[in-house]
Amino acid sequence: GTNQHLKAALEAKSAKNPHLKVFGFVNNMDELMEVSDLVVGKAGGLTITESFCKAKPVILFQAVPGQEVRNTFIVKKYGAGFATNSAKEVINTISELSQSLKKMERLREGVRRLARPEAAKDIARWVEHEL
């Protein structure tokens, strides 16, 4: 995001690891998602929808009570991602997934069951048919 203090602190930590890159606020999130294996983020509807349209499993972090908790329940139920409550859980989950192509493929299958990348077109066709 736009928290420059946090960005600087993360950049200092990531300088020790060539596999980490801190971006801060970006306008090309769709491109970053496209080249990613999975998405780590909040359990908001837009994050999940965009991730699934890109066929990316999710690691959801600290769901807010209400809609995010319900979103997390569905993601877990269909095997399309994980729910985590700490940075350590996120790291452990990523580490585990990075060592298992089979687990990643199962997550992708879960995403395919939930994803509706053509939803807007489907709705438009339905409305056109009903009129």
Side-chain angles (χ1 to χ4, degrees):
T2 57
N3 184 333
Q4 293 301 316
H5 179 65
L6 178 58
K7 182 178 183 239
L10 291 172
E11 285 173 334
K13 288 185 180 217
S14 69
K16 301 171 193 162
N17 187 331
H19 299 291
L20 297 177
K21 170 76 172 119
V22 177
F23 289 96
F25 183 83
V26 297
N27 289 313
N28 64 332
M29 185 56 73
D30 60 318
E31 294 170 0
L32 294 172
M33 286 178 130
E34 190 68 39
V35 298
S36 298
D37 293 313
L38 58 95
V39 174
V40 178
K42 297 292 287 168
L46 285 176
T47 299
I48 294 170
T49 299
E50 289 174 311
S51 298
F52 287 2
C53 283
K54 296 283 187 184
K56 307 301 177 182
V58 293
I59 297 176
L60 303 173
F61 185 71
Q62 293 183 343
V64 174
Q67 187 64 42
E68 287 188 11
V69 169
R70 291 187 294 275
N71 292 347
T72 299
F73 173 79
I74 295 298
V75 165
K76 288 172 40 181
K77 178 181 176 180
Y78 285 87
F82 292 92
T84 60
N85 289 305
S86 69
K88 185 173 183 166
E89 273 186 277
V90 171
I91 291 166
N92 290 341
T93 303
I94 292 170
S95 177
E96 183 181 320
L97 291 172
S98 71
Q99 298 174 33
S100 176
L101 293 175
K102 218 177 246 192
K103 287 180 183 179
M104 282 299 295
E105 185 51 38
R106 280 198 304 268
L107 287 175
R108 288 187 196 101
E109 287 171 15
V111 169
R112 284 190 286 273
R113 284 192 295 272
L114 289 174
R116 300 294 182 266
E118 301 292 321
K121 289 180 184 176
D122 293 343
I123 291 168
R125 280 192 287 274
W126 179 81
V127 168
E128 188 177 62
H129 181 267
E130 293 297 313
L131 295 178

